[in-house]
Amino acid sequence: MSVKARSLIVGMATYIPGLRGLTGRRTGGTVSARYCYSVWLRHLSILQRCGLPTTFKTMVELGPGDSLGIGLAALLSGVERYIALDVIQYASDAQNLRIFEELIALFKDRAPIPDEAELPLVRPLLPSYAFPADLLTSARLDAALHPARLELVRSGITNPAPRPRGRGPVCYIAPWRPGVIESGAVDLVLSQTVLEYPPDLEGMYSEMCRWLEPGGIMSHEIDFKSIGMTVEWNGHWSCPDTIWRLAAGRRRHRLNREPHSTHVALMQRMNCRVVCDERTVQPSAITRAQLAPRFRHLTDEDLTTSSALIQAVKLA
Ligand SMILES: C[S@@+](CC[C@H](N)C(=O)[O-])C[C@H]1O[C@@H](n2cnc3c(N)ncnc32)[C@H](O)[C@@H]1O
């Protein structure tokens, strides 16, 4: 069996009253300004490389985690409004303000994008980590970093708009519910290692596409690995549902185990055209014969795709 004994014990322990809260207390990398700066500039650089828009009025980020830093980096690059939606409120004003000040310094210095040596687990990778000066021109940065605008964002961090329709550059809703954002009100939806969690992925994509105006963009980095719950990086696809349910237990965040092809198919079904699909490929650590019945349909490409950055445009 490929599920680790520790995963089973933790999963079962989540049924004990009081212990569920011990899982998922920290989310990922957004405690670090350099991580947030790197992730945002990686998405932006790849949008440019794929010939997609790189200036946006309203960006929604799904699952910002421990801070709103990725969206704050977007605001410092000229995005006008940032709406963060999470299932749990992890980010605090103090953390967001600290990250914001560190991000301002990084943009003012035109710092190179933190690379694989500094952030070895972060995807997508770039061919060059030089500051994208052709994209973030002096004129664009001067406007985004104007003292009056920085002050506006600071006050938006401590007094975020309570509703997406409200005024102000920052809106943070956690927990969020479908329907919270108007149809066609958004021109960028972005997420970083989030879409491997929602249990109703079809509903999630339908909702995100509804938010987008025609020509609007989705940019999602998705991790398909088993996040250490199994011995093999893709051992979760060999796990029968009964064992997986025990290991997942009532953890705050449970993987949906959907492979790469499901995400691409859903985007296409929701009237989006996939323009960029940067897969990270890793040899499969399990054989086809080991696949659990519900994963027998996985393609060879799915079996070896450990993560992907997928960028798509909403068609008219
Ligand atoms: C692995 S963390 C990644 C956090 C952050 N994006 C980063 O790069 O560090 C996953 C995040 O997704 C959030 N999440 C999970 N399901 C979600 C959903 N259906 N809607 C919004 N956020 C969700 C979690 O609460 C958590 O903040």
Side-chain angles (χ1 to χ4, degrees):
M1 184 173 60
S2 74
V3 166
K4 290 181 185 165
R6 188 180 175 281
S7 305
L8 275 175
I9 293 165
V10 172
M12 289 191 280
T14 58
Y15 288 99
I16 300 170
L19 290 190
R20 182 189 186 211
L22 296 179
T23 66
R25 281 176 300 170
R26 282 195 50 199
T27 66
T30 57
V31 281
S32 146
R34 291 183 65 80
Y35 169 91
C36 298
Y37 179 78
S38 185
V39 166
W40 165 247
L41 290 181
R42 290 180 195 210
H43 281 254
L44 194 64
S45 299
I46 295 180
L47 285 171
Q48 182 191 35
R49 194 200 316 149
C50 294
L52 289 167
T54 54
T55 55
F56 303 98
K57 280 199 173 73
T58 305
M59 159 180 165
V60 171
E61 184 189 8
L62 206 62
D66 294 320
S67 88
L68 305 187
I70 295 174
L72 296 176
L75 290 172
L76 291 171
S77 310
V79 170
E80 289 174 25
R81 234 175 142 242
Y82 164 59
I83 302 167
L85 304 178
D86 210 321
V87 286
I88 294 175
Q89 181 167 342
Y90 286 108
S92 67
D93 288 357
Q95 179 101 288
N96 291 332
L97 285 171
R98 173 185 65 80
I99 300 261
F100 186 58
E101 298 310 321
E102 291 176 27
L103 285 168
I104 293 171
L106 289 166
F107 278 104
K108 281 190 173 161
D109 291 349
R110 274 70 167 164
I113 303 172
D115 61 8
E116 296 145 71
E118 179 175 342
L119 300 170
L121 301 180
V122 175
R123 296 290 181 276
L125 302 178
L126 295 178
S128 159
Y129 292 87
F131 183 79
D134 54 333
L135 186 57
L136 296 179
T137 58
S138 291
R140 184 167 164 182
L141 279 183
D142 286 349
L145 297 171
H146 188 280
R149 186 173 143 77
L150 296 183
E151 210 33 58
L152 187 73
V153 177
R154 272 188 206 101
S155 77
I157 292 172
T158 46
N159 298 294
R163 286 179 301 282
R165 256 167 289 170
R167 294 172 68 81
V170 180
C171 172
Y172 180 29
I173 303 180
W176 72 280
R177 298 271 176 267
V180 73
I181 294 180
E182 275 180 279
S183 300
V186 168
D187 49 5
L188 174 65
V189 180
L190 179 148
S191 70
Q192 179 75 13
T193 62
V194 175
L195 288 176
E196 57 269 30
Y197 295 104
D200 172 16
L201 209 46
E202 181 162 0
M204 188 71 251
Y205 274 109
S206 157
E207 184 69 3
M208 291 191 292
C209 291
R210 189 182 61 71
W211 302 337
L212 282 175
E213 62 182 30
I217 305 293
M218 280 204 238
S219 184
H220 300 298
E221 171 66 25
I222 309 163
D223 189 354
F224 301 107
K225 299 191 288 300
S226 74
I227 53 165
M229 286 182 60
T230 58
V231 176
E232 308 87 357
W233 74 264
N234 57 356
H236 50 324
W237 291 324
S238 70
C239 247
D241 286 351
T242 40
I243 306 278
W244 185 257
R245 271 198 292 273
L246 279 179
R250 294 174 63 243
R251 289 169 199 260
R252 278 181 168 175
H253 303 300
R254 296 181 287 267
L255 293 175
N256 56 35
R257 294 197 287 168
E258 290 298 340
H260 172 258
S261 59
T262 305
H263 291 261
V264 171
L266 283 173
M267 285 190 206
Q268 289 167 341
R269 202 183 307 159
M270 304 300 164
N271 199 28
C272 289
R273 182 167 61 88
V274 173
V275 176
C276 159
D277 186 5
E278 297 249 327
R279 297 185 306 121
T280 303
V281 172
Q282 213 167 303
S284 177
I286 55 171
T287 63
R288 284 210 147 268
Q290 287 175 292
L291 286 171
R294 70 173 266 225
F295 296 111
R296 297 260 159 82
H297 68 283
L298 262 61
T299 64
D300 288 342
E301 203 172 89
D302 283 335
L303 260 184
T304 53
T305 303
S306 58
S307 68
L309 177 80
I310 311 178
Q311 295 182 328
V313 189
K314 179 170 171 177
L315 302 172

